[in-house]
Amino acid sequence: MLAAAAVCPCPPLLVPDVAAGAAAELDGLRTACSDAVAVLAAARPDRLLVIGPAGPEEQGPYPSGAAGSFRGFGVDRAVRLGAGDGSARELPPSLAVAAWLLEHTDFTAAPVEGLGIDTALPSGRCAALGRESAAGAERLALLVMGDGSACRTLKAPGYLDDRAADFDAGAARALGAADTEALLAVDERTARELKAAGRAPWQVLAGAGEGAGLAGALLYDDAPYGVGYSVAVWS
């Protein structure tokens, strides 16, 4: 059963070593993410599953102890997802950011595993994966990584798209209200066109949260660098 969930964006710039001189610009976002992880710890879960967007070759499970780094972003900073023997596969960037966040907040409340979600995974399969993950009597917590649109400004990675602000506002409302139906209704094509990598992980969360009776709260909603970032908790 789903006991709690936290939703955080996953830009590598969340890691101060990567952001370097611009690190202070995302201090508010880091604080909100830390607060969200604290909610997961307070729920006393039996297991924490971290999910985040991944490419086709990066999708699938990552055992406790799986390692990642930010060398691809010019920083020799290694991270590890929980304690364990790990695996030969390196964490995708979204899960590496999650691993840093868990280390940064000293999360030790439960065993941690990772799951890379293909950004092209259809909505129905996302929901089914969420339901499967939350099945059973154990108290499951989810840390859901994923960004909104990347098209909020002219300088955004995806350039300006007039649909982006409304898309992000709708996603933020649904995440903040723990509205599983609204999340499952997020259009795959629109999300892809707006480069919203969080769509599939959010819909996995929606499947896991069906019938759980959790209340939501939105802790952060902004678009620094033209990318929609939302932080929310379900508890």
Side-chain angles (χ1 to χ4, degrees), residues 15-131:
V15 180
D17 290 346
V18 177
E25 297 176 8
L26 293 182
D27 280 347
L29 176 58
R30 291 186 194 95
T31 297
C33 290
S34 296
D35 290 345
V37 171
V39 170
L40 298 182
R44 296 188 176 184
D46 298 316
R47 178 169 66 104
L48 173 65
L49 179 62
V50 181
I51 63 177
E57 296 181 355
E58 299 171 320
Q59 65 178 321
Y62 290 82
S64 181
S69 76
F70 298 99
R71 284 187 287 272
F73 301 95
V75 175
D76 189 15
R77 172 71 159 84
V79 291
R80 190 171 293 275
L81 192 65
D85 296 331
S87 67
R89 287 204 305 166
E90 184 167 310
L91 296 169
S94 65
L95 298 187
V97 172
W100 172 84
L101 179 59
L102 292 172
E103 290 180 359
H104 175 68
T105 54
D106 195 26
F107 181 92
T108 58
V112 183
E113 299 173 352
L115 183 63
I117 307 296
D118 189 339
T119 55
L121 194 67
S123 298
R125 291 180 61 190
C126 289
L129 182 58
R131 295 181 191 112

Side-chain angles (χ1 to χ4, degrees), residues 1 47 49 115 128-136 138 140 142 204 208:
M1 60 174 287
R47 178 169 66 104
L49 179 62
L115 183 63
L129 182 58
R131 295 181 191 112
E132 178 184 340
S133 298
E138 70 173 357
L140 174 69
L142 288 178
V204 174

Side-chain angles (χ1 to χ4, degrees), residues 2 5 7 51 142 144 175 183 201-210 234:
L2 184 64
V7 179
I51 63 177
L142 288 178
V144 182
L175 292 169
L183 287 174
W202 297 339
Q203 291 182 327
V204 174
L205 167 62
E210 287 180 339
W234 296 13

Side-chain angles (χ1 to χ4, degrees), residues 150-161 193-195 226-227:
C151 302
R152 292 283 292 272
T153 67
L154 292 173
K155 294 184 178 181
Y159 197 65
L160 177 64
D161 190 309
E193 292 173 348
L194 295 177
K195 305 183 185 301
V227 182

